[in-house]
Amino acid sequence: MKLAILSTLFTVAAAFTSPAAPKTSTALEANRRDALAQIAAVGAAFVPLSANAVRDNDAVKYLGGGAVVDLNNANVRVYLKMPGLYPTIAGKIVSNGPYANVGDVYKIPGLSSKEQEVIKKYESRFTVTTPQADYVIDKFNNGLYR
């Protein structure tokens, strides 16, 4: 990538320099010029035009900014807003995904009946979307510290 940028800058700079005095071109200089032109062309081919990244994810509203929480993508700290879930039950929810539907959360191994009751209390506030790699990586630790 650096080579592509440098070769592009070199070619642009070379285009705007004027020769001091007309001189005859030798075969060596012509070969060098052709080689630099080819390097610049190859370098320009590797410069990405634009990234096709997902800039707006429809599920962002379920990551903790609203009343509904996405079980597959939300960070463990989102469950702080729901008394009784954080840290134990929230940790189990985050660790045992992804979930195909909200009912799958009751199939977590080792979930006690009391913990199921707490989850049932907030079940209407849960949703499930497709896990996104950008959010799944931060489910356990989003880097926010006190």
Side-chain angles (χ1 to χ4, degrees):
M1 182 70 176
K2 291 179 183 178
L3 178 63
I5 293 171
L6 288 175
S7 64
T8 304
L9 288 173
F10 179 79
T11 346
V12 171
F16 290 106
T17 59
S18 60
K23 58 181 180 177
T24 59
S25 177
T26 65
L28 181 60
E29 289 176 359
N31 288 340
R32 186 182 308 150
R33 189 173 30 253
D34 291 340
L36 287 175
Q38 289 175 355
I39 290 172
V42 169
F46 287 108
V47 174
L49 297 175
S50 64
N52 293 326
V54 177
R55 293 178 57 205
D56 296 318
N57 183 358
D58 294 335
V60 168
K61 59 188 171 192
Y62 303 128
L63 296 179
V68 180
V69 173
D70 179 10
L71 294 173
N72 286 332
N73 294 306
N75 184 276
V76 70
R77 293 181 61 90
V78 170
Y79 299 99
L80 280 167
K81 297 178 181 180
M82 300 174 205
L85 286 180
Y86 186 85
T88 306
I89 301 172
K92 290 180 180 180
I93 291 172
V94 169
S95 299
N96 288 286
Y99 304 100
N101 57 51
V102 175
D104 285 351
V105 78
Y106 295 105
K107 299 175 186 173
I108 295 173
L111 197 65
S112 70
S113 59
K114 187 169 182 168
E115 290 172 332
Q116 288 180 354
E117 290 174 16
V118 175
I119 292 173
K120 184 74 171 167
K121 179 179 168 183
Y122 297 107
E123 184 178 13
S124 63
R125 294 182 60 184
F126 296 144
T127 190
V128 172
T129 62
T130 306
Q132 301 290 323
D134 296 341
Y135 304 121
V136 171
I137 196 168
D138 291 332
K139 283 185 356 180
F140 306 103
N141 180 4
N142 61 359
L144 297 176
Y145 305 101
R146 290 184 191 196

